[in-house]
Amino acid sequence: ETGVTQTPRHLVMGMTNKKSLKCEQHLGHNAMYWYKQSAKKPLELMFVYSLEERVENNSVPSRFSPECPNSSHLFLHLHTLQPEDSALYLCASSQDLAVNYGYTFGSGTRLTVV
Amino acid sequence: GENVEQHPSTLSVQEGDSAVIKCTYSDSASNYFPWYKQELGKGPQLIIDIRSNVGEKKDQRIAVTLNKTAKHFSLHITETQPEDSAVYFCAASLNSNYQLIWGAGTKLIIKP
């Protein structure tokens, strides 16, 4: 394990379902991120949290709702998704809110919307 | 805004040969350039980075070079091994920023 744990690893959901992705880190990092990874495209930053406060919401549709209850946990709540939302969703953490600290990524949740 | 182009999208090399992946960036203010490696079923992992105050950095079999004038940087892997097979991502940013601008990735295939 990399230090960042994501569950579930795979998720299939219908367009009317509600589900949540979970991310957990025990590295003592202060910043956490949600990324969307689609095939042959650059990683897309979705949300950024620093010390449990949302710093960035990168024009993400409201059907994605993040939650950061404490500095070790990050959730992504999903509802009424579209098939084009199918992708690998990656959680990452970093020591602090600057890229030169380096990101530690989880292994991702492979989401399929049917 | 910043844009990062990465080439090639797929690279196949014979085991033991060298591999080179190239990236160009658009924002001359960028000063931090990391490379991440993503193995199958895993998230990306930082393997090496370079800041704009140096032109080259090495770590065992991998090296990164930076040409600020031309706004491009490259990853060099020598004596490639099967475990080097992965997708490699370049990125660029200001080192004080929290958002990386990513390339689209290069799938490196090491042929036995």
Side-chain angles (χ1 to χ4, degrees), chain B residues 38-52:
Chain B
Q38 186 174 23
E39 297 176 341
L40 197 61
K42 298 183 179 180
Q45 179 183 9
L46 178 65
I47 56 172
I48 195 167
D49 58 14
I50 191 168
R51 289 164 175 75
S52 60

Side-chain angles (χ1 to χ4, degrees), chain A residues 9 33 35 37 40-45 48 55-56 58 88 90 97-108, chain B residues 4 10 32 34 36 38 41-46 49 51 87 89 93-100 102-105:
Chain A
R9 292 296 304 272
Y33 313 78
Y35 272 94
Q37 185 175 30
K40 300 186 178 180
K41 291 177 66 176
L43 275 71
E44 299 174 52
L45 180 63
V48 181
V55 174
E56 180 75 47
N58 233 9
L88 181 68
L90 291 164
L97 202 64
V99 296
N100 60 347
Y101 285 104
Y103 294 150
T104 300
F105 282 91
S107 295
Chain B
V4 175
T10 304
Y32 176 69
Y36 282 77
Q38 186 174 23
K42 298 183 179 180
Q45 179 183 9
L46 178 65
D49 58 14
R51 289 164 175 75
V87 179
F89 293 93
S93 184
L94 290 170
N95 62 13
S96 58
N97 202 353
Y98 57 78
Q99 182 160 337
L100 282 171
W102 297 83

Side-chain angles (χ1 to χ4, degrees), chain B residues 68-110:
Chain B
K68 287 186 292 183
T69 302
K71 291 191 285 187
H72 66 71
F73 56 112
S74 300
L75 178 71
H76 304 253
I77 305 174
T78 59
E79 301 173 13
T80 53
Q81 300 171 3
E83 55 265 34
D84 295 328
S85 293
V87 179
Y88 291 81
F89 293 93
C90 64
S93 184
L94 290 170
N95 62 13
S96 58
N97 202 353
Y98 57 78
Q99 182 160 337
L100 282 171
I101 306 303
W102 297 83
T106 296
K107 183 176 183 179
L108 177 62
I109 301 166
I110 307 301

